[in-house]
């Protein structure tokens, strides 16, 4: 029995939107599993879309930060690592979001 969980059609759409914004494309299958796990552990039944939107916003801001800082690719975490370690909730990233666009990505849902 495989431990790999398939994405349903809605999850596929949300994952693709997120993955396309993430600044390093490596380990897509691992990223899919990490995305499912991250969304599952951080959402209530009725707020899944809100959380996936938060991930998308933070990923875009992280990509901008990586570009602005001139970060070498080897220092950009794999997408699965970024999700598994809740790097989307790092203080520096939250501050970058709040400074540029106001508090669009609250730390609590």
């Amino acid at each position: 029995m495989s431990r790999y969980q398939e994405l349903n059609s809605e999850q596929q759409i949300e994952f693709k939107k997120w993955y396309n914004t993430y600044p390093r494309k490596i380990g897509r299958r691992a990223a899919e599993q990490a995305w499912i796990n991250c969304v599952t552990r951080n959402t209530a039944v009725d707020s899944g879309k809100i959380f996936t939107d938060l991930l998308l916003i933070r990923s875009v801001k992280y990509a901008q930060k990586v570009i602005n800082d001139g970060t070498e690719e080897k220092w950009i975490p794999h997408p699965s690592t970024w999700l598994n370690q809740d790097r989307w909730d790092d203080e520096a990233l939250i501050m970058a979001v709040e400074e540029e666009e106001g508090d669009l990505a609250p730390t609590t849902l």
Side-chain angles (χ1 to χ4, degrees):
M1 179 179 223
S2 173
R3 296 180 70 204
Y4 180 75
Q5 184 178 350
E6 294 290 333
L7 298 171
N8 65 35
S9 59
E10 183 180 332
Q11 290 171 328
Q12 287 176 3
I13 292 167
E14 294 299 319
F15 173 78
K16 282 181 183 179
K17 282 195 279 187
W18 173 80
Y19 191 77
N20 287 335
T21 66
Y22 193 76
R24 188 170 185 192
K25 308 288 189 264
I26 189 167
R28 184 183 173 107
R29 189 172 172 118
E32 287 178 358
Q33 289 304 290
W35 190 84
I36 289 171
N37 294 337
C38 182
V39 170
T40 300
R41 76 174 181 271
N42 286 290
T43 59
V45 174
D46 60 347
S47 65
K49 178 69 173 135
I50 294 168
F51 184 73
T52 57
D53 287 348
L54 173 108
L55 284 178
L56 187 62
I57 290 166
R58 299 258 177 104
S59 180
V60 167
K61 290 300 173 187
Y62 180 64
Q64 289 173 350
K65 185 171 177 6
V66 163
I67 291 167
N68 293 341
D69 293 349
T71 305
E72 291 181 51
E73 185 175 301
K74 69 180 180 178
W75 300 114
I76 301 170
H78 289 202
S80 58
T81 301
W82 195 79
L83 292 166
N84 286 332
Q85 294 179 354
D86 292 348
R87 302 290 297 274
W88 50 268
D89 205 22
D90 284 354
E91 187 174 327
L93 185 54
I94 294 168
M95 289 174 57
V97 170
E98 291 174 355
E99 286 175 5
E100 288 187 23
E101 295 184 16
D103 193 11
L104 294 178
T107 57
T108 58
L109 297 174

